[in-house]
Amino acid sequence: MKLIVFFLMLFCSSIECNNNHIPHPLDPLTPSEFNLIRTIILKSYKTNNLTFHYIGLHEPDKHLIQSWLSSKTKTLQPPPRQAFIIARFQKKSLEIIIDFSTHSIISTKIYKGHGYPMLTFGEQTIASQLPFSYKPFIDSLNKRELNISDVLCATFTTGFAAVVDLDEMKIVSYYDKYVIPVPKAEGTEYRASKMKPPFGPKLKGIGVSQHDDGPGFTIQGHSVSWANWVFHVGFDIRSGPIISLASIYDLEMQKYREVLYKGYISEVFVPYQDPSEEWYYTTYFDCGEYGFGQSMSSLQPFTDCPANAVFLDAYYPGSDGVPVKIANAFCIFEKSDVSLVVRAVSTVGNYDYVIDWEFKPSGSIKLGVGLTGILGIKAGTYTNTDQIKEDIYGTLLADNTIGVYHDHFFTYYLDLDIDGEANSFVKTNLETVKVKDHKTPRKSYWTTVKETAKTEADARVNIGFKPSELAVVNPNKKTKQGNTIGYRLLPGPILHPLLVNDDYPQIRGAFTNYNVWVTPYNKSEKWAGGLYVDHSRGDDTLAVWSHRDREIENKDIVLWHTMGFHHVPSQEDFPVMPTLSGGFELRPTNFFERNPVLKTKSPKPIHWPNCTSQH
Amino acid sequence: MKLIVFFLMLFCSSIECNNNHIPHPLDPLTPSEFNLIRTIILKSYKTNNLTFHYIGLHEPDKHLIQSWLSSKTKTLQPPPRQAFIIARFQKKSLEIIIDFSTHSIISTKIYKGHGYPMLTFGEQTIASQLPFSYKPFIDSLNKRELNISDVLCATFTTGFAAVVDLDEMKIVSYYDKYVIPVPKAEGTEYRASKMKPPFGPKLKGIGVSQHDDGPGFTIQGHSVSWANWVFHVGFDIRSGPIISLASIYDLEMQKYREVLYKGYISEVFVPYQDPSEEWYYTTYFDCGEYGFGQSMSSLQPFTDCPANAVFLDAYYPGSDGVPVKIANAFCIFEKSDVSLVVRAVSTVGNYDYVIDWEFKPSGSIKLGVGLTGILGIKAGTYTNTDQIKEDIYGTLLADNTIGVYHDHFFTYYLDLDIDGEANSFVKTNLETVKVKDHKTPRKSYWTTVKETAKTEADARVNIGFKPSELAVVNPNKKTKQGNTIGYRLLPGPILHPLLVNDDYPQIRGAFTNYNVWVTPYNKSEKWAGGLYVDHSRGDDTLAVWSHRDREIENKDIVLWHTMGFHHVPSQEDFPVMPTLSGGFELRPTNFFERNPVLKTKSPKPIHWPNCTSQH
């Protein structure tokens, strides 16, 4: 117990005591809160043998946040601060809610379903060491004349298969099927420090600077304000970055207007397309199984973020409940084409995902994803495509090295509250009108037909098949001209599942069956793949919730958007993939009376290093 | 004649004599060359009453350019330099080729078709003044109690209608049909200098700087080299920017490898969707009718381009043949996420198009388009949507102001020569395989099926309806692993025409019927809408050429790609639209043996103004 008190004091001194900002009710849990949770739970269960799989803020109800926000200058107490915990104890998944004001457990539930909580780094580390003390595995290495020191074992979620029992921490089955030549190391080096000549072009790069009085944005705790925007940057072990309470100042109305109550990546589904026994189960759910938040990397200044970036740390709970720090987990920076970016990089297994939220004075929010990192590869007997007479389910990238076909589906949770909670989802369909009379020399033109979604079924959309503008509007508010105020979704790279609907991975990933879904706001519907994703059977996905076909017109609604990429690897993606970028835009549509940028005062130039201009 | 000689000397002294770079055979025509052309032609036709509608480089044949390039260090003479001219003389369109080495006309042809050449600024200026000396028009103004000084007339191409005869320069028909309240000026100001309080947020902005020894790129004449790229930046009065001879250095092969022989925007089709008599004909072809090159704006440093940009001028021929300078027509700058951008802005009538070519050390070329400027609006009687009981073919943006529905189709000409001229177009289709046996627990997976286009018909693709990767490959070259080397097209915003195929505007714009076409290289097939677009009847479009269904396998081929936006205006787009961006990527796919970026030496940081990082 002394250790815990020590930690409490340590983090208190570095974070809370020296930082006199008032905590925001949506601030991520602090190290001292993680330690408090650990103390309370281990004491309550009288054990040290309990694993923490998820600890996150148990958010106050929206109306409490809204009341707190609207009376911020007054003395209203912030809503009670609570945490939601999923822990494994005696082979059961416990769901616990802790209240910080009373330092007590206020709710406990034992989960009865098929799924398992997110994997912890702790259990993955132990599990990946198990083979090295397992005789049949040692025999397999000897058979291949491999040294133990040259071999790395990694842990993969099993989709709907099962090999290692994480509760027992034993290897429950083992096969040694093929002996395939080990791919050569040649050409696989990707660490800059280990590179040998000849080198490619040396880039000079550019510098980025700011006015002497500091950056153009301010950060108070986790609240950011810049230009006409204010928003809150949160963090969760499972989702990674969370942007909340994004509001934009309307100069004509002389007030901030709500746009986004909360937005984050709810799930990333990565099904591989090799049906063989060794690969068929590799259908990863990067948030629900591995945790986008705990996988976030410390950002490298200048490499991951430009020189004018400001950095923020994050803390996640280890499997023992002790907080782990991710230094420089976020960076926030201005771009020269006038926008503000919040960036994080999540390294899930082999892949690196660059997650950007970009705010523009026009009211647009651009959500970007960049994919880089190491491909999912498998060994093969081939060294040239000439030798291949069967489907290898991938691309031959190097000798004995195959990059397996796969998809990346990114499903965003977007609780837009456009000028208030009561919103509707409207499709503006572009329809061809064929001219039958002779009133015009034209034979055709297109016009728009608006369609308001009444229930969830009306709001399931696969993008790309017919021209339609998708918007979340506030049906109770109009511009002076009478147009309904709203925000549009401008899609980026779109993909549709290629697995059949009743295939096991696709049942679990059924939330990708549409690019757009709209649900009524429900505090418990946060994770598109379900609360328990590992070993899940798809009984708690967005597709299941949407099947209830609830009413969504003029209600507090949530927009779910899936974008992404089919990935046929190419040799350039090896050994590390050049960033592949995509994203989408949330853009005001009749939200403002007119272009809000015109009244924005342009920045003054700072440096003109290179000005050959004749102006 | 003295005047002409004077011009020749003037430009010679400022451009050619002081600039000792060796002219590149693809350099745009110089002021002295324009003047020479004018002298030769006016002398030959013994007139001053001839209008120059197009003057551009008559490019040498590809094999001549290639020979010149490959023997650049030796003493090979550059190929003969020639110009192609379209002039109107005695109500006829003349096509003239001039050779600069002999100072002579080497070919003359009289065009016999339906179309007319690109409009000149000169005739547009005169035509737009005609109404002010036309009695019925003055009467109309008086009827509305309008002052002449408050009225601006603009010239619009007439699609398949006809109102002003530009050869006669007379008004040939006139209607005064409706009296509609003049929209108020309130809220229409967009000039920063005229803005009145209250102002919005004041942006501080950031500075951009570079190493003391200059930028990371070099420009010699119009040839640019940066990182592993070399390319040539050309200019044409009709297309605007032309990127040619883009090659990338391959470190493993120790040589530059060809990627793009030539790329430019061939046409921009903007059909409006109001079928009424006043609007039905507004179906603009912004390159073929108005000229993307002559419409290019002088870029404003810091506003249009960041502070580290280098600027280049351009020259186009006026309608009298005298060269007109566009100062700062191009800017070239590095971005902090490691890329080089070539930018131009073309202001065609009311719209501003930001055209970007972005090169990355990974081998990717990103082609971007940003749309901003003033909407095409019409007057209406309405001040609120409540009053509207009919289709107004647009959005009520302000009192009496309707933003008319329209499209922007951008058609790019991309003569990719992937490691040589003989290329093929390959579709890699992603196809679901349903598992029938029980060899795998999966019920399905996807795999790839490659399809090489044999003829033009095989290569017509509408993107978005089935998953497919589109690539131009060199079927004669493979990587060591045996993969065919190539470049992929990663599409951005895609649109399909909504007009019926036999509607007049769509017959003229039939090149938008597919997002992708591939044609065998043909020097004369440059303009997707035909050489003569004004009043065209669609008999010389890409769709017509493609109908010949020529063989395209393992040949010198051209990829044509159409992207763009349907535009339902919103109030934010008024009075000036916040930039709407889109683009696509040309990305190496098995072009390199492995990721070429890993051997690129990263730039060193210059400034760390704001580094709160803990590293």
Side-chain angles (χ1 to χ4, degrees):
Chain A
M1 286 309 295
K2 275 176 189 168
L3 183 67
I4 294 157
V5 174
F6 169 74
F7 266 108
L8 272 167
M9 288 176 62
L10 177 73
F11 282 98
C12 174
S13 74
S14 67
I15 301 294
E16 296 202 340
C17 312
N18 289 344
N19 189 341
N20 53 12
H21 86 272
I22 303 153
H24 189 291
L26 296 181
D27 278 354
L29 295 174
T30 63
S32 59
E33 287 171 333
F34 284 127
N35 282 306
L36 187 59
I37 290 162
R38 182 171 182 264
T39 307
I40 293 168
I41 291 179
L42 295 186
K43 192 174 169 187
S44 166
Y45 285 85
K46 298 181 179 62
T47 182
N48 277 316
N49 197 11
L50 177 147
T51 320
F52 293 91
H53 288 256
Y54 177 84
I55 307 181
L57 181 70
H58 188 60
E59 278 181 37
D61 287 343
K62 274 178 95 162
H63 72 271
L64 295 175
I65 296 280
Q66 299 289 18
S67 324
W68 177 81
L69 266 182
S70 57
S71 67
K72 217 172 175 181
T73 50
K74 299 161 206 165
T75 51
L76 193 78
Q77 277 291 310
R81 195 155 162 90
Q82 300 178 340
F84 177 72
I85 298 104
I86 299 179
R88 285 291 286 180
F89 182 58
Q90 296 175 342
K91 296 196 183 181
K92 289 190 177 69
S93 294
L94 308 178
E95 298 176 9
I96 302 166
I97 297 172
I98 281 182
D99 185 89
F100 288 112
S101 58
T102 58
H103 289 211
S104 63
I105 293 175
I106 58 168
S107 149
T108 310
K109 200 181 119 186
I110 297 172
Y111 168 71
K112 305 278 190 194
H114 301 293
Y116 289 84
M118 223 169 65
L119 273 61
T120 68
F121 284 158
E123 64 192 4
Q124 289 184 70
T125 305
I126 298 169
S128 61
Q129 288 305 314
L130 288 181
F132 295 106
S133 52
Y134 185 66
K135 179 82 174 37
F137 180 74
I138 309 286
D139 292 345
S140 298
L141 296 188
N142 291 337
K143 189 163 81 181
R144 289 167 178 81
E145 297 179 359
L146 288 172
N147 293 326
I148 285 186
S149 60
D150 290 337
V151 174
L152 174 84
C153 289
T155 52
F156 304 114
T157 54
T158 56
F160 44 98
V163 180
V164 166
D165 186 324
L166 287 176
D167 283 322
E168 291 283 354
M169 263 311 167
K170 277 183 194 164
I171 295 175
V172 293
S173 64
Y174 181 78
Y175 308 94
D176 182 350
K177 233 169 135 181
Y178 304 112
V179 177
I180 292 171
V182 176
K184 287 176 214 142
E186 189 204 335
T188 63
E189 185 57 74
Y190 56 85
R191 291 164 294 183
S193 61
K194 303 277 180 183
M195 284 292 158
K196 289 185 183 129
F199 288 110
K202 193 170 175 182
L203 296 167
K204 281 188 180 174
I206 58 170
V208 183
S209 57
Q210 67 197 18
H211 281 277
D212 295 339
D213 57 348
F217 54 95
T218 59
I219 305 178
Q220 277 207 309
H222 286 75
S223 297
V224 178
S225 71
W226 173 78
N228 40 4
W229 280 103
V230 291
F231 58 89
H232 181 272
V233 180
F235 168 82
D236 179 82
I237 183 174
R238 180 162 171 176
S239 71
I242 301 174
I243 301 295
S244 297
L245 303 173
S247 294
I248 188 164
Y249 191 78
D250 186 318
L251 200 65
E252 302 200 19
M253 295 193 182
Q254 295 279 319
K255 65 170 188 178
Y256 278 95
R257 296 170 67 196
E258 292 177 79
V259 176
L260 181 77
Y261 184 77
K262 190 158 85 160
Y264 57 91
I265 296 178
S266 177
E267 194 51 272
V268 179
F269 179 39
V270 188
Y272 281 78
Q273 302 300 334
D274 179 342
S276 69
E277 192 174 351
E278 290 70 33
W279 275 81
Y280 76 91
Y281 61 86
T282 55
T283 52
Y284 303 125
F285 293 81
D286 281 343
C287 292
E289 291 177 339
Y290 291 99
F292 241 51
Q294 70 180 357
S295 303
M296 271 164 58
S297 297
S298 288
L299 298 169
Q300 305 293 324
F302 203 74
T303 303
D304 293 324
C305 311
N308 59 324
V310 169
F311 293 82
L312 288 180
D313 300 334
Y315 296 87
Y316 70 89
S319 53
D320 55 0
V322 175
V324 180
K325 177 175 173 174
I326 306 173
N328 304 340
F330 294 96
C331 70
I332 301 178
F333 59 91
E334 292 173 278
K335 279 170 59 176
S336 64
D337 57 355
V338 191
S339 62
L340 186 75
V341 176
V342 178
R343 174 172 293 172
V345 174
S346 198
T347 304
V348 184
N350 45 309
Y351 259 98
D352 294 295
Y353 298 105
V354 184
I355 307 150
D356 279 357
W357 285 78
E358 182 175 356
F359 295 84
K360 298 188 82 76
S362 63
S364 278
I365 307 176
K366 291 189 172 186
L367 296 92
V369 174
L371 282 75
T372 175
I374 301 173
L375 282 177
I377 54 173
K378 65 171 182 173
T381 54
Y382 306 111
T383 54
N384 192 287
T385 55
D386 286 346
Q387 304 151 351
I388 304 172
K389 308 290 174 208
E390 55 178 352
D391 194 340
I392 61 166
Y393 315 114
T395 307
L396 187 66
L397 300 174
D399 288 356
N400 310 118
T401 307
I402 296 163
V404 180
Y405 301 146
H406 59 280
D407 305 307
H408 295 269
F409 292 88
F410 298 86
T411 300
Y412 281 81
Y413 173 102
L414 299 165
D415 181 3
L416 291 158
D417 282 356
I418 304 300
D419 238 0
E421 283 183 8
N423 285 182
S424 294
F425 177 68
V426 174
K427 287 180 261 190
T428 300
N429 300 318
L430 276 55
E431 295 186 359
T432 299
V433 181
K434 291 183 189 172
V435 178
K436 300 266 161 55
D437 54 31
H438 293 283
K439 284 186 186 158
T440 164
R442 283 272 277 268
K443 294 188 181 180
S444 62
Y445 60 95
W446 61 256
T447 192
T448 59
V449 179
K450 285 190 195 295
E451 200 185 320
T452 301
K454 307 281 181 202
T455 68
E456 291 177 281
D458 301 335
R460 296 176 202 137
V461 181
N462 266 324
I463 293 173
F465 298 105
K466 65 179 215 179
S468 190
E469 294 197 350
L470 308 176
V472 172
V473 306
N474 187 325
N476 313 299
K477 297 198 178 166
K478 289 181 190 299
T479 60
K480 285 176 206 153
Q481 243 61 53
N483 293 305
T484 306
I485 69 140
Y487 254 74
R488 274 179 69 195
L489 168 70
L490 272 83
I494 283 299
L495 80 174
H496 310 292
L498 290 173
L499 299 186
V500 298
N501 271 339
D502 65 342
D503 203 354
Y504 310 106
Q506 196 55 39
I507 293 169
R508 301 174 72 219
F511 54 88
T512 63
N513 288 349
Y514 293 93
N515 299 116
V516 169
W517 312 70
V518 178
T519 56
Y521 174 81
N522 179 328
K523 200 173 161 184
S524 73
E525 293 175 4
K526 293 171 72 170
W527 308 109
L531 183 57
Y532 295 85
V533 174
D534 183 35
H535 281 62
S536 67
R537 299 192 186 174
D539 47 19
D540 183 29
T541 70
L542 169 57
V544 172
W545 314 331
S546 169
H547 197 66
R548 293 165 60 190
D549 204 16
R550 293 160 290 186
E551 291 187 357
I552 53 169
E553 189 179 6
N554 205 4
K555 294 203 180 305
D556 187 5
I557 55 176
V558 176
L559 179 77
W560 304 77
H561 177 45
T562 295
M563 52 149 275
F565 306 90
H566 299 297
H567 192 175
V568 177
S570 71
Q571 284 188 231
E572 287 81 3
D573 298 341
F574 186 77
V576 168
M577 178 180 167
T579 308
L580 177 67
S581 300
F584 61 96
E585 181 175 349
L586 300 169
R587 189 175 170 100
T589 183
N590 302 314
F591 182 86
F592 293 106
E593 293 291 335
R594 58 184 63 84
N595 183 343
V597 179
L598 297 177
K599 289 276 195 155
T600 302
K601 287 266 208 175
S602 285
K604 289 214 181 71
I606 303 178
H607 290 288
W608 297 88
N610 211 8
C611 196
T612 62
S613 151
Q614 307 198 0
H615 277 95
Chain B
M1 286 309 296
K2 276 178 188 168
L3 185 66
I4 295 157
V5 174
F6 169 74
F7 266 108
L8 272 168
M9 287 174 63
L10 177 73
F11 281 98
C12 174
S13 74
S14 68
I15 300 293
E16 294 199 345
C17 312
N18 289 344
N19 190 342
N20 53 11
H21 87 272
I22 303 153
H24 188 292
L26 296 181
D27 278 353
L29 295 174
T30 63
S32 60
E33 287 170 333
F34 284 126
N35 283 304
L36 186 60
I37 290 163
R38 181 170 183 264
T39 309
I40 294 169
I41 291 179
L42 295 186
K43 191 176 170 186
S44 166
Y45 285 85
K46 298 180 178 61
T47 182
N48 277 316
N49 197 11
L50 177 148
T51 320
F52 293 91
H53 287 257
Y54 177 85
I55 307 181
L57 181 70
H58 188 60
E59 280 181 36
D61 288 343
K62 273 178 95 162
H63 72 272
L64 294 175
I65 295 281
Q66 299 290 16
S67 323
W68 178 80
L69 267 180
S70 58
S71 67
K72 217 172 175 180
T73 48
K74 299 164 206 162
T75 52
L76 193 78
Q77 278 290 311
R81 195 156 161 90
Q82 301 179 339
F84 177 72
I85 299 105
I86 298 179
R88 285 291 285 178
F89 182 58
Q90 297 175 342
K91 296 197 182 181
K92 289 190 177 69
S93 293
L94 309 178
E95 299 176 9
I96 301 165
I97 298 172
I98 281 182
D99 184 89
F100 288 111
S101 58
T102 58
H103 288 211
S104 63
I105 293 173
I106 59 168
S107 149
T108 308
K109 200 182 119 185
I110 296 172
Y111 169 70
K112 304 278 191 194
H114 301 291
Y116 289 84
M118 224 169 64
L119 273 62
T120 69
F121 284 157
E123 64 193 5
Q124 289 184 69
T125 305
I126 298 168
S128 61
Q129 288 306 313
L130 287 181
F132 295 105
S133 52
Y134 186 66
K135 177 82 175 38
F137 179 74
I138 307 287
D139 294 344
S140 298
L141 295 188
N142 291 337
K143 189 163 82 179
R144 290 166 177 83
E145 296 179 0
L146 288 171
N147 293 326
I148 285 186
S149 60
D150 290 338
V151 174
L152 173 83
C153 290
T155 51
F156 304 114
T157 53
T158 57
F160 43 97
V163 180
V164 167
D165 186 325
L166 287 176
D167 283 321
E168 290 284 357
M169 263 311 168
K170 276 184 193 164
I171 293 175
V172 292
S173 64
Y174 182 77
Y175 307 95
D176 182 350
K177 230 168 138 183
Y178 303 112
V179 178
I180 292 171
V182 176
K184 286 175 213 143
E186 189 204 335
T188 62
E189 184 57 75
Y190 56 85
R191 291 165 293 183
S193 61
K194 303 276 181 184
M195 284 291 158
K196 289 185 183 131
F199 288 110
K202 193 170 175 181
L203 297 167
K204 280 187 182 175
I206 57 170
V208 183
S209 57
Q210 65 195 19
H211 280 277
D212 295 338
D213 56 348
F217 54 94
T218 58
I219 305 179
Q220 276 205 309
H222 285 75
S223 297
V224 178
S225 70
W226 173 79
N228 39 4
W229 281 102
V230 291
F231 58 89
H232 181 273
V233 180
F235 168 83
D236 179 83
I237 182 173
R238 179 163 172 176
S239 70
I242 300 173
I243 301 295
S244 298
L245 302 174
S247 294
I248 189 163
Y249 191 77
D250 187 317
L251 200 63
E252 303 200 19
M253 294 192 182
Q254 295 279 319
K255 64 169 188 179
Y256 279 96
R257 296 170 66 197
E258 291 177 79
V259 176
L260 181 78
Y261 184 78
K262 190 158 87 161
Y264 58 90
I265 296 178
S266 177
E267 193 53 272
V268 179
F269 178 40
V270 189
Y272 281 78
Q273 302 301 332
D274 179 342
S276 69
E277 193 175 349
E278 290 70 33
W279 275 80
Y280 77 90
Y281 61 86
T282 55
T283 51
Y284 303 124
F285 293 81
D286 281 343
C287 292
E289 291 177 339
Y290 291 99
F292 240 49
Q294 71 180 356
S295 303
M296 271 164 59
S297 297
S298 288
L299 298 170
Q300 304 294 324
F302 204 75
T303 303
D304 294 324
C305 312
N308 60 323
V310 169
F311 294 81
L312 288 180
D313 301 332
Y315 296 87
Y316 70 89
S319 51
D320 55 0
V322 175
V324 180
K325 176 175 173 175
I326 307 173
N328 304 340
F330 294 94
C331 70
I332 301 178
F333 58 92
E334 291 174 277
K335 278 171 58 176
S336 65
D337 58 355
V338 191
S339 61
L340 185 75
V341 176
V342 178
R343 174 171 293 171
V345 174
S346 198
T347 303
V348 184
N350 45 310
Y351 259 97
D352 293 296
Y353 298 105
V354 184
I355 307 151
D356 280 357
W357 285 78
E358 182 175 356
F359 294 84
K360 298 188 82 76
S362 63
S364 279
I365 308 176
K366 291 189 172 187
L367 296 92
V369 174
L371 283 74
T372 177
I374 301 173
L375 283 178
I377 53 174
K378 65 170 181 175
T381 55
Y382 306 112
T383 55
N384 192 287
T385 55
D386 286 346
Q387 304 152 351
I388 304 172
K389 309 288 176 211
E390 55 177 356
D391 194 341
I392 60 167
Y393 316 114
T395 306
L396 186 66
L397 299 175
D399 288 356
N400 309 118
T401 308
I402 296 163
V404 180
Y405 302 145
H406 60 280
D407 305 307
H408 296 269
F409 293 88
F410 297 87
T411 300
Y412 281 81
Y413 174 101
L414 299 164
D415 181 3
L416 290 157
D417 282 358
I418 304 300
D419 237 0
E421 283 183 8
N423 285 182
S424 294
F425 177 68
V426 174
K427 289 181 258 189
T428 300
N429 300 317
L430 277 55
E431 295 186 359
T432 300
V433 180
K434 292 183 188 172
V435 179
K436 299 267 159 59
D437 54 31
H438 294 283
K439 284 185 186 159
T440 165
R442 284 271 278 268
K443 294 188 182 179
S444 62
Y445 61 96
W446 61 256
T447 193
T448 58
V449 179
K450 285 189 196 294
E451 200 184 321
T452 300
K454 306 283 182 202
T455 68
E456 291 178 280
D458 300 335
R460 296 175 202 138
V461 182
N462 265 324
I463 293 173
F465 299 104
K466 66 179 214 178
S468 190
E469 295 196 349
L470 308 176
V472 172
V473 305
N474 187 324
N476 313 298
K477 297 200 178 166
K478 290 182 191 299
T479 61
K480 285 176 205 153
Q481 243 61 55
N483 294 304
T484 305
I485 70 143
Y487 255 74
R488 273 180 67 196
L489 168 71
L490 271 82
I494 282 299
L495 80 174
H496 310 292
L498 291 172
L499 300 185
V500 297
N501 271 339
D502 65 341
D503 202 355
Y504 310 106
Q506 197 56 40
I507 293 168
R508 301 176 71 221
F511 54 88
T512 64
N513 289 350
Y514 293 94
N515 299 115
V516 169
W517 313 70
V518 177
T519 55
Y521 174 80
N522 178 327
K523 201 174 160 183
S524 72
E525 293 176 4
K526 293 171 72 169
W527 308 109
L531 183 58
Y532 295 84
V533 174
D534 183 36
H535 283 60
S536 68
R537 300 193 184 171
D539 47 19
D540 182 27
T541 71
L542 169 56
V544 172
W545 313 331
S546 170
H547 198 66
R548 293 165 60 191
D549 203 17
R550 294 161 289 186
E551 291 187 358
I552 54 170
E553 190 180 5
N554 204 3
K555 294 203 179 306
D556 187 3
I557 56 176
V558 175
L559 180 77
W560 304 76
H561 176 45
T562 295
M563 51 148 276
F565 306 89
H566 299 297
H567 192 175
V568 177
S570 71
Q571 284 188 230
E572 287 81 2
D573 298 340
F574 186 77
V576 168
M577 178 179 167
T579 308
L580 176 68
S581 300
F584 61 96
E585 182 175 349
L586 300 170
R587 189 176 171 100
T589 184
N590 302 315
F591 182 86
F592 294 107
E593 293 291 335
R594 59 184 61 85
N595 183 342
V597 179
L598 297 176
K599 288 275 196 159
T600 303
K601 287 266 209 172
S602 286
K604 288 218 180 69
I606 303 179
H607 288 292
W608 297 89
N610 210 9
C611 193
T612 62
S613 150
Q614 307 199 0
H615 276 93

